[in-house]
Amino acid sequence: MLIDTYGRVATDLRVSLTDRCNLRCTYCMPEEGLQWLAKPDLLTDDEIVRLIDIAVTTLGIEEVRFTGGEPLLRPGLVGIVERVAALTPRPQMSLTTNGIGLKRTAAALKAAGLDRVNVSLDTLRPDVFKTLTRRDRHKDVIEGLDAARAAGLTPVKVNSVLMPGLNEDEAPDLLAWAVEHAYELRFIEQMPLDAQHGWKRDGMITAGDILTSLRTRFELTPEGSEERGSAPAERWIVDGGPHRVGVIASVTRPFCSACDRTRLTADGQVRTCLFAREETDLRAALRSGAPDEEIARIWRLAMWGKKAGAGLDDPSFVQPDRPMSAIGG
């Protein structure tokens, strides 16, 4: 079991498979990209599967989410999914992706055992997409979403970040489109995880702003805390149902008290929080020949020291020194 001093138990593991990405989203990294991790620093496929095995069979992890960077850039992704699906007990498996490579991989991922996907799409307008991501790939994302739904990677969830002066007016249009295509839309407040450290709380599009905009066109009924559980998204029933829309308000409505996540970076570091500045090295233990029991002990100790909250409301908050692409969202 992965428990901290506040009684929270981690059952959800986020695994970053690579720090690389084929987009350059303005809220994540600079246009020229970043200095990527050297290949020897990355966990191998075998190391990733071994750590997930320890997490699932020894530490009580029930759900595994593959992230990046862009996880579809990981050459061994399908094989990793297949091997994790063979574990006993079998964890639920999902993947967060920008969707660009889904058209060609969705069917193989489903056959390997992946349960569902989260796809990032911030706008319905190709020109705005190009401005936000610095790449002309909007059509590829739409086709990737179609392929994921056709392959049965459902529910297909769409994650959207609204940015001032770019797509802040699109919330109602995005929800109407998601309802039409049977996708579950989730808006995410922009978080202080950009490599440029240009994030400013003043002027960001808040959960309150998003809900006010949505209510100009839709009737929203709160789903309730019992349905939410430890999920990061607050959800609302749209026009009486069955469709729902979620808002992940990490900045203005933090949900730290219910957090059930632990994170593994692409280079084998445990992070107890997306906003943490401290990491615990599991790669060194792996490569020094440590047995599973020792690795589990190190992981438990790391989680025991998890802080009460992210501290975003603290004036002394210091942004993490790794961007979202290196941590895995």
Side-chain angles (χ1 to χ4, degrees), residues 74-85:
R74 178 88 186 200
L77 172 61
V78 172
I80 291 171
V81 170
E82 190 171 34
R83 292 168 67 183
V84 173

Side-chain angles (χ1 to χ4, degrees), residues 307-320:
K307 294 180 179 179
L312 296 180
D313 55 351
D314 187 335
S316 64
F317 170 76
V318 179
Q319 179 171 328

Side-chain angles (χ1 to χ4, degrees), residues 4-172:
D4 64 33
T5 54
Y6 299 91
R8 296 169 296 192
V9 178
T11 58
D12 185 330
L13 171 61
R14 307 295 171 97
V15 181
S16 174
L17 297 179
T18 178
D19 60 329
R20 297 173 183 265
C21 189
N22 42 13
L23 296 180
R24 296 292 181 269
C25 297
T26 56
Y27 51 78
C28 184
M29 70 171 73
E31 185 170 5
E32 64 274 14
L34 300 167
Q35 183 174 351
W36 309 122
L37 292 167
K39 188 173 181 180
D41 293 336
L42 293 171
L43 293 176
T44 66
D45 292 1
D46 287 344
E47 288 171 336
I48 290 170
V49 173
R50 183 183 171 196
L51 288 175
I52 295 174
D53 189 350
I54 293 169
V56 169
T57 61
T58 304
L59 298 174
I61 290 298
E62 299 171 357
E63 180 175 347
V64 176
R65 171 85 60 84
F66 297 108
T67 69
E70 173 45 52
L72 295 182
L73 296 179
R74 178 88 186 200
L77 172 61
V78 172
I80 291 171
V81 170
E82 190 171 34
R83 292 168 67 183
V84 173
L87 296 177
T88 303
R90 180 199 187 280
Q92 287 289 305
M93 284 186 294
S94 57
L95 179 135
T96 295
T97 171
N98 61 32
I100 288 175
L102 265 181
K103 182 179 179 180
R104 67 176 184 275
T105 57
L109 287 168
K110 180 63 177 180
L114 192 70
D115 295 299
R116 62 173 188 81
V117 293
N118 287 25
V119 180
S120 298
L121 180 65
D122 303 320
T123 177
L124 299 176
R125 305 194 293 252
D127 59 326
V128 176
F129 182 92
K130 187 174 181 179
T131 299
L132 275 167
T133 68
R134 305 183 179 104
R135 298 291 186 271
D136 190 11
R137 305 298 298 272
H138 188 266
K139 179 175 179 286
D140 297 310
V141 180
I142 297 297
E143 291 179 348
L145 280 160
D146 291 340
R149 184 179 55 195
L153 292 170
T154 54
V156 176
K157 296 184 179 180
V158 176
N159 296 337
S160 297
V161 176
L162 299 183
M163 300 288 289
L166 287 172
N167 62 338
E168 61 187 302
D169 62 331
E170 283 199 69

